[in-house]
Amino acid sequence: MIELINVCKEYKMGEDTVHALRGVNLVVNDGEFMAVVGSSGSGKSTLMHIIGGLDRPTDGRIVVDEDDLGAASDMKLSKYRREKVGFVFQSFNLQPSLTVLENVALPLVFTREHRSERKRRAEEVLELVGLGDRLKHRPSELSGGQRQRVSIARALINNPKIILADEPTGNLDSKTSEKIVDLLKEINSIRKATVIIVTHDDKIASQTKRIIHISDGGLLN
Amino acid sequence: MNFSDLILMAFSNLWRAGLRAWLTIFAVVIGGTLIALMISLGTGANDFILSQFRSFMPVNSLIVSTSPEFGKSGFQGPSLGGEPREVKDGDSVLGFGHIGGQKSFTSKDIETIRSILHVQQVDPTYILSATSIRLNTSPTRYEVNLQCLPDYELDIRRLTAGTRFAKDDVRKAIISKQYCSVFGFDTAEEAIGKKVIIEVSQLNLFGILSGAIPAKPREIEFEIVGVTERTMASTEVIITKNDAIEIGRFIFNNPELYSEIWGSTLQVKVDNKANISKVANDIQDLGFGTQTPESIAASIQSFFRVVQVILSLFGAIALLVASFGIANTLIMSVYERTREIGIMKAVGATNSTIRWLFLLEAALIGFIGGALGVVAGWVLGRLANVIAHMTILKEYEAFNISIFPWWLIPLVLIISSIVAIIAGIIPANRGAKLNPIDALRYE
Ligand SMILES: Nc1ncnc2c1ncn2[C@@H]1O[C@H](COP(=O)(O)OP(=O)(O)OP(=O)(O)O)[C@@H](O)[C@H]1O
Ligand SMILES: [Mg+2]
């Protein structure tokens, strides 16, 4: 369970302070399939970063399965990201120098998993996203939709409880987007992972079971 | 994260940097080469001098002096390049000598020393200051260092021609190889059986005091029976004990020399090298000074240690310069790989993993540079040996100007790796402290 209690995030820009999040209260239960919508600059990405342990709130608390992430050490946050979270980014964020297989296996490199086991699991998740035949390709040799599948495979490889997708279809056409959302939906229903998708697209949002609206750093009810 | 993965990743990052990495490594290579080469040259010189010294002084003997201070300050030769030493009463004033007012050993002293456990033999060190040597067929005179050695010391001199002395030989001499060429012999064998004239003159040290007029110089004819291998002792001429006693008594105009009084230094033979320091202690307890081959060797070696350190400073400076290059390269690479670092952090890499990644990359630069430097240093050392054997070391085939001890390999590798790792600390910390969100946002 993810619990946000009065989470605030401020950025100091010289004299000014940007309030990216202003007292967000939110509970996300295990296995939820949820969309976050809101206009540009409203704080959606910031919210995802805080839930994903990439950033800490300046005020308030974020508790995941009884662990207070705001108070956790860098080491613990890394461990949390490694074991419980899978990120999917709008711009894919694949390493151009690595093959598809290596990109997907990357999160396991930071665990103590054995090389052969890493390869086996990477092949397995790539099979799942329908790219079992592209293992040796470089990201630059793939289409946008394929790249996003690679990045979803990478997010899946640790078998995380939480998948955070920040505008995963932002760079894709509508047909490809649909397939990506179908894939995420499948992951939610089969793997029982909590999936949170940030999107501007109402059509995508409507496919989820819960939609939260965010505006100027606050949730709208 | 497994260490092997970390290494692999650091290596592939370095590989991707391509030319930039190689240029950085090249700077390390120069430092490593200089260190390896300088130390190998220093070791070569050290070995050369030490082995020359060992060919003169038997390992199981020691020198004893009536002066208790003898041997205390290491090498007892005249001050080489340093400030002149103060002379106190009872000091040896002529370098190795024992003339002047220096106290002499008595026959009783010799008996006492001989009775010490493990002592096998006690000999005087004959002081034979000859003026010149010439062939009996030629008037051209050459400088000479006339010596009489105990039999066991003569045994370690290597001869290229002729033989050592037979028992009770008189007027026989063993000359050094260098004389052959000045005497006009084509081979050392040619010298055997030829006659040389050695001139000795009486010291007027006592003469001045007593008002006596020194006797006229004497010319003594010797037959060459042996030629020693070429060493640094290029003017050494060895004669037998009988002649040495006669010449010594003439030089000092003292018929009691080597029967009642024995000069201020003695050479003591010990049954076993291992007992040298024990015997030295026993002799010091009698109030005499001692100098062992080990103590002389140690002072020679410590001198060359200093030379090596000074020479390898050049390499150290080169490495210091290279370390700035390493830091610069890695800072660039942190900057270039910002997004990559962000991704790695997002998928669970810890700060310390990122730090290690860059430190290892630095270490690899140092290690590869050091390894290539060692190889280059070795090759250059071999080259120096080849050139030296054609020029300055022509006559010393057994010696090398550059000696490459095995420990030079780990030494250079460790030094260059450590310097590189230190240079990598700042870039590595930068990478480790990158905020993952900023890094991911980075275009
Ligand atoms: N590192 C930062 N420094 C300063 N301000 C920041 C930083 N990150 C975000 N902000 C500000 O915080 C606010 C929320 O940003 P955020 O990226 O969360 O918006 P978003 O809802 O994801 O927008 P978009 O739909 O365009 O991605 C914005 O006003 C943004 O300018
Ligand atoms: Mg955003």
Side-chain angles (χ1 to χ4, degrees):
Chain A
M1 191 173 73
I2 306 164
E3 247 184 303
L4 287 87
I5 305 141
N6 195 30
V7 165
C8 298
K9 181 72 194 180
E10 294 165 3
Y11 291 104
K12 288 250 175 339
M13 303 289 287
E15 298 283 287
D16 303 333
T17 305
V18 179
H19 297 271
L21 293 176
R22 316 168 183 258
V24 172
N25 288 293
L26 176 69
V27 173
V28 185
N29 288 309
D30 288 353
E32 276 204 68
F33 188 36
M34 192 177 98
V36 177
V37 294
S39 58
S40 184
S42 56
K44 306 180 293 295
S45 294
T46 306
L47 181 67
M48 296 294 255
H49 293 153
I50 285 175
I51 294 174
L54 276 174
D55 209 351
R56 288 189 177 85
T58 35
D59 202 8
R61 301 203 313 144
I62 158 117
V63 181
V64 178
D65 300 337
E66 266 136 53
D67 284 330
D68 187 337
L69 297 187
S73 65
D74 284 341
M75 279 295 258
K76 267 192 105 172
L77 272 189
S78 302
K79 187 168 144 68
Y80 165 72
R81 293 196 296 265
R82 200 159 58 232
E83 292 176 353
K84 292 197 173 166
V85 183
F87 281 100
V88 179
F89 303 94
Q90 176 177 359
S91 51
F92 320 131
N93 278 333
L94 301 172
Q95 310 262 65
S97 61
L98 301 181
T99 63
V100 164
L101 189 80
E102 289 164 341
N103 262 294
V104 171
L106 187 67
L108 291 183
V109 171
F110 304 112
T111 67
R112 296 211 162 271
E113 210 63 77
H114 198 270
R115 198 176 306 246
S116 55
E117 172 67 5
R118 298 201 304 244
K119 184 163 179 280
R120 194 190 63 74
R121 277 172 57 185
E123 283 169 359
E124 192 183 290
V125 286
L126 277 165
E127 200 67 49
L128 190 85
V129 300
L131 285 174
D133 54 344
R134 297 292 160 92
L135 306 181
K136 293 272 176 284
H137 286 63
R138 305 273 158 184
S140 57
E141 295 158 3
L142 301 179
S143 71
Q146 287 170 325
R147 288 185 209 182
Q148 197 56 299
R149 283 163 192 273
V150 174
S151 110
I152 290 172
R154 182 179 63 191
L156 286 179
I157 196 161
N158 277 337
N159 228 338
K161 282 187 61 176
I162 305 163
I163 303 267
L164 302 172
D166 192 348
E167 300 190 42
T169 60
N171 287 352
L172 305 175
D173 62 52
S174 57
K175 216 174 139 218
T176 320
S177 300
E178 236 165 80
K179 286 187 183 152
I180 293 294
V181 173
D182 285 346
L183 185 58
L184 290 170
K185 197 190 274 180
E186 203 180 302
I187 290 162
N188 169 255
S189 60
I190 297 174
R191 298 204 160 204
K192 304 284 179 247
T194 307
V195 176
I196 305 177
I197 306 174
V198 169
T199 183
H200 288 293
D201 188 338
D202 289 339
K203 230 173 97 194
I204 289 172
S206 66
Q207 302 212 35
T208 64
K209 294 175 190 141
R210 179 181 173 195
I211 302 174
I212 59 166
H213 295 268
I214 187 166
S215 171
D216 196 18
L219 294 192
L220 304 176
N221 291 319
Chain B
M1 189 171 183
N2 295 326
F3 191 67
S4 64
D5 287 318
L6 212 53
I7 295 247
L8 220 66
M9 209 182 249
F11 194 83
S12 78
N13 285 341
L14 192 61
W15 188 251
R16 268 196 287 149
L19 182 64
R20 175 154 30 104
W22 283 112
L23 289 175
T24 314
I25 288 172
F26 184 67
V28 181
V29 173
I30 292 175
T33 306
L34 274 174
I35 291 182
L37 189 63
M38 292 308 180
I39 290 182
S40 81
L41 290 178
T43 309
N46 179 40
D47 272 37
F48 180 69
I49 303 290
L50 259 187
S51 65
Q52 288 284 310
F53 160 73
R54 291 230 157 91
S55 69
F56 301 129
M57 188 152 178
V59 289
N60 59 338
S61 74
L62 64 157
I63 305 292
V64 181
S65 165
T66 50
S67 159
E69 294 306 309
F70 180 75
K72 292 271 166 64
S73 57
F75 196 59
Q76 288 291 301
S79 304
L80 295 168
E83 289 175 0
R85 284 192 291 262
E86 185 189 344
V87 178
K88 297 206 191 78
D89 287 347
D91 277 357
S92 163
V93 285
L94 292 179
F96 301 95
H98 67 148
I99 323 169
Q102 186 76 355
K103 206 174 131 204
S104 270
F105 284 104
T106 63
S107 297
K108 198 167 148 268
D109 291 334
I110 293 194
E111 275 321 303
T112 316
I113 292 171
R114 194 172 279 145
S115 67
I116 290 172
L117 191 64
H118 302 302
V119 169
Q120 281 190 334
Q121 191 175 326
V122 180
D123 295 283
T125 50
Y126 298 96
I127 303 296
L128 307 167
S129 42
T131 357
S132 67
I133 186 172
R134 66 180 172 87
L135 269 186
N136 64 346
T137 55
S138 158
T140 319
R141 301 186 302 165
Y142 297 95
E143 58 174 333
V144 61
N145 169 24
L146 202 56
Q147 294 276 359
C148 172
L149 307 176
D151 47 2
Y152 64 93
E153 185 173 351
L154 185 56
D155 285 344
I156 62 172
R157 293 289 197 280
R158 292 203 294 219
L159 301 186
T160 55
T163 57
R164 294 187 171 76
F165 302 122
K167 204 173 179 299
D168 298 327
D169 262 356
V170 285
R171 300 293 193 261
K172 299 279 159 67
I174 296 174
I175 63 169
S176 76
K177 177 97 188 288
Q178 280 91 332
Y179 281 113
C180 291
S181 50
V182 295
F183 287 160
F185 301 134
D186 291 331
T187 65
E189 276 74 20
E190 228 178 280
I192 307 303
K194 299 284 189 323
K195 301 273 171 46
V196 287
I197 310 281
I198 292 172
E199 187 190 89
V200 290
S201 46
Q202 207 162 50
L203 289 172
N204 55 6
L205 229 87
F206 305 106
I208 293 164
L209 295 173
S210 63
I213 299 153
K216 278 195 356 197
R218 276 178 67 185
E219 288 201 319
I220 309 171
E221 189 176 79
F222 289 87
E223 182 192 340
I224 299 171
V225 294
V227 178
T228 51
E229 265 185 10
R230 190 183 187 95
T231 65
M232 288 204 304
S234 49
T235 61
E236 189 179 71
V237 171
I238 305 164
I239 59 171
T240 63
K241 199 170 144 186
N242 293 328
D243 293 327
I245 291 172
E246 185 192 331
I247 292 173
R249 286 175 180 167
F250 169 72
I251 290 174
F252 294 103
N253 192 17
N254 187 343
E256 287 184 339
L257 195 59
Y258 309 128
S259 64
E260 292 303 317
I261 61 163
W262 294 83
S264 68
T265 55
L266 300 174
Q267 184 165 335
V268 173
K269 187 187 178 205
V270 176
D271 58 359
N272 192 319
K273 194 176 143 191
N275 295 322
I276 286 231
S277 58
K278 208 156 68 189
V279 171
N281 281 335
D282 288 348
I283 292 175
Q284 279 165 18
D285 288 345
L286 297 173
F288 302 128
T290 59
Q291 191 165 53
T292 62
E294 288 315 306
S295 67
I296 301 174
S299 61
I300 293 176
Q301 244 157 344
S302 67
F303 171 74
F304 277 100
R305 269 294 116 67
V306 174
V307 171
Q308 281 180 334
V309 167
I310 290 171
L311 287 179
S312 45
L313 271 182
F314 291 107
I317 291 169
L319 270 190
L320 186 74
V321 174
S323 73
F324 287 102
I326 294 171
N328 188 46
T329 298
L330 289 178
I331 286 172
M332 288 280 287
S333 123
V334 168
Y335 182 74
E336 276 179 4
R337 277 190 248 150
T338 300
R339 195 182 184 81
E340 198 179 312
I341 294 167
I343 296 169
M344 290 197 285
K345 286 194 170 181
V347 301
T350 60
N351 292 354
S352 77
T353 298
I354 306 293
R355 180 177 295 117
W356 271 111
L357 207 53
F358 282 98
L359 286 180
L360 267 176
E361 195 173 331
L364 275 176
I365 292 175
F367 189 88
I368 295 171
L372 293 177
V374 163
V375 172
W378 181 79
V379 169
L380 289 177
R382 292 294 293 253
L383 206 66
N385 284 341
V386 171
I387 293 170
H389 281 143
M390 292 191 303
T391 55
I392 50 172
L393 284 182
K394 213 169 188 168
E395 309 277 342
Y396 301 91
E397 258 139 47
F399 291 111
N400 285 318
I401 191 166
S402 148
I403 289 177
F404 212 87
W406 68 268
W407 49 259
L408 208 45
I409 298 170
L411 181 83
V412 171
L413 289 180
I414 289 170
I415 290 179
S416 57
S417 301
I418 287 179
V419 167
I421 289 172
I422 291 171
I425 289 177
I426 292 174
N429 279 342
R430 269 203 190 183
K433 294 220 180 87
L434 269 184
N435 181 342
I437 299 166
D438 294 341
L440 285 171
R441 202 190 298 268
Y442 183 88
E443 301 297 337

